[in-house]
Amino acid sequence: MTNLSDLFPAGAGKQVSFTADGAISSGDNVSLETSGKVKKITTGNANVARFIGIADAAISDTQSGRITIKGGISTNVSSLTPGTDYYCQADGSTGTSSAGSAVKIGKALSATAINLEYTS
């Protein structure tokens, strides 16, 4: 897969159902694995470069759940500063630092909403 359009038809919404590769909590930053499954980004799996979006709710291992993908607005976040750019850090956390392997995920719209930037 080279981009998100390989996974869903044109006009699909910004919340897409994926199967989890490992347990995922609501609000976790997730990556798209080569298997087509999503995985919580952590220090141990070093997959921050494949960030795809934020989990809408908890997803058990091997179960399906919805992910707000790039281009959508996630409201499963907290403690954001409106107008500030946010990055997914190498350990999977969300922060304002762009250092190291962090990837920009979007801009906060409010304390509890972030506009996930779409990049192909």
Side-chain angles (χ1 to χ4, degrees):
M1 282 175 261
T2 57
N3 59 51
L4 294 176
S5 63
D6 293 337
L7 297 172
F8 52 88
K14 300 302 181 192
Q15 288 82 30
V16 178
S17 183
F18 288 96
T19 300
D21 180 0
I24 297 172
S25 297
S26 178
D28 280 349
N29 290 319
V30 297
S31 62
L32 178 62
E33 302 301 301
T34 56
S35 64
K37 295 180 180 181
V38 291
K39 190 171 198 168
K40 176 182 176 176
I41 298 174
T42 66
T43 302
N45 60 24
N47 52 4
V48 67
R50 293 189 308 263
F51 170 86
I52 189 175
I54 298 174
D56 289 343
I59 311 169
S60 299
D61 184 24
T62 71
Q63 299 301 302
S64 293
R66 296 177 69 77
I67 305 296
T68 298
I69 60 170
K70 295 176 182 181
I73 296 173
S74 175
T75 57
N76 291 320
V77 291
S78 62
S79 304
L80 303 180
T81 301
T84 301
D85 288 333
Y86 282 87
Y87 300 81
C88 180
Q89 308 301 314
D91 65 358
S93 64
T94 300
T96 57
S97 171
S98 63
S101 61
V103 295
K104 186 174 179 183
I105 60 173
K107 186 177 292 265
L109 301 174
S110 70
T112 59
I114 187 168
N115 185 5
L116 300 177
E117 295 185 348
Y118 178 79
T119 55
S120 55

